[in-house]
Amino acid sequence: MRAAQYQRGGTVSIVDLPEPICPEGGLLVQTEACGLCSGELMDWYMDRKAPHILGHEVCGRILTSQDARFPAGERVFVHHHAPCMECEECRRQAYVHCPTWKQTRLEPGGMAEQFAVSKENLNDAFLVGEMDPRNAALIEPLACVVKSIRMSGSGSTAAVVGLGALGVAHLKLLGERAVGYDRNPLRRDWASSRGLCAKAPDSASAAELVFVLPGSEDAFRFGLSILKPGGCLVMFAPLPPGKAVSLDLEELYFRDFRLATSYSCGPTDTAEAKQLLLNGTICHEDLVSHTVRLDDLPSAYVKMKAGEILKAMVVFP
């Protein structure tokens, strides 16, 4: 079978791999759609995994099942990480810190013609019926946005820094109280065409809630500069390892601000994201600018990384 492989230095190529085998108690899935995640564009993050099969925003049809809850022939969503649902971290809903969550993965990855799902991964998997596979493939990334907004708490005004696909998703879910900022006019135009408020950073206004999506110091400092006293800043992405950011803690103390991080998502978030997609609050047309075949992914990867396209999704025959 064919799959998209990331190679150290940021190169993506289509490779031939053996077809995976259905694991004991798990599933073998025929891939229907898989989105390219913005996290997969970060060289420092991907290089330490290389060579690595891309893809975790995924949906497909079950080919073989060893779990009666997931019959062959059904369409299924599977999170690439799933918690045990029994440990102390799971009991307090800190799912991403569950040891099982950290160990689980799809084999070899979602950006392949087939992938295998372990029985442990089925703790965050569900059937999606005849839901459009392009929508079902967005459950995981949208769930990350659901968690991000939950982590922020309450506020009557919001700002979203960075208008990639998930910045647009933040704006969609936050509604009229939110304004998005991006230097890239193509991204601002995309958000505006969806009826969302998008502006250049030099016209920013202060907000009680600020969501910083790019993993960069510039974006983080811009977010801090527009955060109102008593507000909350949410970091949606990490900065590169070893990247120290100096902060004037005396100034920040008297601003009485909160700093939250939002890493991935868990089963409660994926369940909510599924409902948002089912009821039409958001859909793939809002977030996916380019639907491509697997052979076209390497060029789409370069364009998405350069900010020339918003988001690519691979659909499989």
Side-chain angles (χ1 to χ4, degrees):
M1 72 168 187
R2 298 187 311 144
Q5 185 180 71
Y6 175 91
Q7 314 252 347
R8 188 174 181 85
T11 301
V12 173
S13 56
I14 307 304
V15 299
D16 289 314
L17 298 175
E19 292 183 357
I21 298 172
C22 182
E24 183 178 354
L27 310 176
L28 180 64
V29 180
Q30 182 83 42
T31 312
E32 292 185 297
C34 187
L36 180 58
C37 172
S38 56
E40 293 173 317
L41 308 177
M42 298 189 299
D43 287 348
W44 67 264
Y45 180 68
M46 296 299 295
D47 280 355
R48 61 193 187 190
K49 300 181 178 186
H52 174 74
I53 300 302
L54 294 171
H56 54 262
E57 303 176 358
V58 67
C59 167
R61 290 274 184 189
I62 300 170
L63 291 172
T64 306
S65 173
Q66 295 192 17
D67 188 313
R69 298 171 299 168
F70 297 90
E74 293 288 334
R75 180 169 289 145
V76 66
F77 156 79
V78 185
H79 195 305
H80 58 301
H81 295 304
C84 71
M85 304 302 290
E86 296 177 353
C87 69
E88 178 182 350
E89 306 301 342
C90 288
R91 286 194 294 271
R92 66 187 185 95
Q93 297 190 353
Y95 299 115
V96 301
H97 303 292
C98 166
T100 299
W101 190 94
K102 295 175 182 292
Q103 294 167 6
T104 48
R105 65 184 300 273
L106 304 179
E107 181 61 44
M111 203 68 80
E113 292 176 322
Q114 296 179 18
F115 61 92
V117 183
S118 70
K119 63 180 180 181
E120 291 81 9
N121 274 95
L122 297 180
N123 283 335
D124 197 358
F126 38 79
L127 301 179
V128 295
E130 291 308 305
M131 185 178 187
D132 188 318
R134 295 168 295 178
N135 284 337
L138 290 173
I139 290 173
E140 186 272 343
L142 185 60
C144 294
V145 177
V146 168
K147 178 182 174 181
S148 171
I149 294 173
R150 173 167 53 82
M151 295 295 287
S152 72
S154 60
S156 60
T157 56
V160 178
V161 181
L163 295 179
L166 297 191
V168 172
H170 273 81
L171 287 182
K172 288 283 289 185
L173 298 191
L174 289 164
E176 293 182 355
R177 61 177 170 154
V179 179
Y181 300 101
D182 202 295
R183 295 171 178 170
N184 187 332
L186 295 177
R187 290 182 171 183
R188 297 198 302 269
D189 290 346
W190 178 276
S192 297
S193 72
R194 268 64 191 168
L196 305 170
C197 186
K199 299 180 179 181
D202 58 8
S203 60
S205 301
E208 295 173 66
L209 307 178
V210 176
F211 301 86
V212 179
L213 276 74
S216 75
E217 182 176 349
D218 283 350
F220 177 78
R221 290 196 179 281
F222 173 72
L224 273 181
S225 75
I226 61 172
L227 180 66
K228 284 188 174 183
C232 179
L233 184 145
V234 179
M235 287 181 63
F236 191 75
L239 271 66
K243 178 66 174 177
V245 177
S246 62
L247 298 174
D248 185 338
L249 295 180
E250 188 260 352
E251 176 201 352
L252 293 175
Y253 176 87
F254 286 109
R255 287 174 62 186
D256 206 20
F257 89 121
R258 291 183 297 118
L259 175 64
T261 60
S262 188
Y263 169 42
S264 191
C265 59
T268 54
D269 305 308
T270 55
E272 185 173 342
K274 174 189 174 184
Q275 290 304 312
L276 290 167
L277 289 156
L278 282 173
N279 67 25
T281 300
I282 197 165
C283 64
H284 67 91
E285 289 96 341
D286 294 318
L287 308 181
V288 178
S289 60
H290 288 71
T291 301
V292 301
R293 297 296 185 184
L294 186 62
D295 286 335
D296 298 319
L297 181 67
S299 61
Y301 185 94
V302 172
K303 291 177 181 177
M304 185 169 160
K305 191 172 182 178
E308 297 172 7
I309 65 175
L310 186 76
K311 183 179 182 68
M313 177 177 284
V314 173
V315 292
F316 292 76

